[in-house]
Amino acid sequence: MPSGTLRTPAVPSPAPPPADGHPPAGAPPRIVARRPLGQWAAAAVVLVLLGLVLRSVAGNDAFRWDLVAAYFLTTPVLNGLLLTLGLTAAVMVLGFALGTVLATMRLSANPVLRGVSSGYVWLFRSMPVLVQLLFWFNIGALYPTILGIRTVHLLAPPAIAVLGLTLHEAAYAAEVVRAGILSVDRGQTEAAQALGLGRWRRLRRIVLPQAMRSIVPPAGNMLIGTLKGTSVVSMIAVNDLLYSVQLIYHRTYQVIPMLMVATVWYVIITSLLSVGQHYVERRYARGTAGAR
């Protein structure tokens, strides 16, 4: 053999299987995965039921899919959709801004601030959102004028919708933000305090960026819930998506097709928000174990 070359050790070839199919004596038992026959049977039943439901929906003439397509992009429907989206954005921004203040008060060492924040969260989580909207809609019975301005002019239905939904949303946002702040290791705050950072700077630069990892998932669910929850403002004659289709079917008596128009729009917007929530969650989950 020439100098400088290395000999690769020969790898023994595997022993041929016995002719009778049984493992040789002393060999470890072979592990065979159990066939999930029950799961496949359940999946087949679910697919059959899903096919029957889709066939029933597609073949039912009462849905009037031609009218759904005809009214889907009409100006009243699109205007109602834009109002719904704007109302959702305003309520989420204002609700989380107020909720962050309430969460900070709840975590304060001052018992008065803690008590006020706890009482606010308790009160507005106890009242249904529709009751709150109807209460603010009839606030003129208690306060006819505020600062010399008639309440009926100061609180128009769109303003009442923003006010009522924001106060309701802030109660839940406060608990979400508080839970996110508590999820941050206390050592992070102590290290920032040792560096001489003030309380608000610690909260803004150290605590909240790390708390977002725990805040984003429930906040995304709240965003989707708020989008659908804005439909209650139709009870106070705010021209949102649901109220727009109600005006149409009150005139045409095509109730089911117009409700399907609103439903399809809600499904589309909710699906887009779910996709956005997925990417935002993945961004804030960077650096955690198991994050992709």
Side-chain angles (χ1 to χ4, degrees), residues 162-249:
V162 174
L163 176 62
L165 292 177
T166 297
L167 295 177
H168 176 80
E169 198 78 11
Y172 290 90
E175 293 299 286
V176 170
V177 174
R178 184 174 70 92
I181 293 175
L182 292 177
S183 68
V184 179
D185 186 23
R186 185 173 179 81
Q188 300 285 330
T189 305
E190 294 175 352
Q193 189 175 4
L195 292 175
L197 298 180
R199 176 178 177 83
W200 288 105
R201 194 175 180 186
R202 293 198 305 267
L203 180 66
R204 188 180 73 254
R205 301 294 298 273
I206 305 297
V207 177
L208 283 181
Q210 298 183 69
M212 290 299 293
R213 188 178 301 162
S214 301
I215 292 175
V216 167
N221 295 332
M222 288 180 60
L223 175 60
I224 294 175
T226 302
L227 172 69
K228 297 181 294 184
T230 55
S231 60
V232 300
V233 301
S234 61
M235 299 295 296
I236 57 174
V238 176
N239 199 8
D240 70 321
L241 177 60
L242 179 60
Y243 192 74
S244 299
V245 300
Q246 286 177 334
L247 292 178
I248 296 175
Y249 72 61

Side-chain angles (χ1 to χ4, degrees), residues 11-50:
V11 178
S13 59
D20 56 357
H22 296 284
R30 186 178 62 174
I31 299 177
V32 180
R34 184 179 178 181
R35 297 181 179 178
L37 298 179
Q39 296 181 11
W40 284 109
V45 172
V46 170
L47 288 176
V48 171
L49 294 177
L50 181 61

Side-chain angles (χ1 to χ4, degrees), residues 10 43-44 49 52 60 82 84 105 109 113 184 199-200 205 234 288:
L49 294 177
L52 293 176
N60 193 336
L82 290 177
T84 295
M105 293 171 58
L113 297 181
V184 179
R199 176 178 177 83
W200 288 105
R205 301 294 298 273
S234 61
T288 59

Side-chain angles (χ1 to χ4, degrees), residues 268-290:
I268 292 174
I269 302 302
T270 300
S271 302
L272 294 176
L273 292 177
S274 300
V275 173
Q277 177 186 354
H278 167 73
Y279 285 103
V280 173
E281 289 181 7
R282 191 171 68 174
R283 182 182 186 279
Y284 281 103
R286 291 180 301 178
T288 59

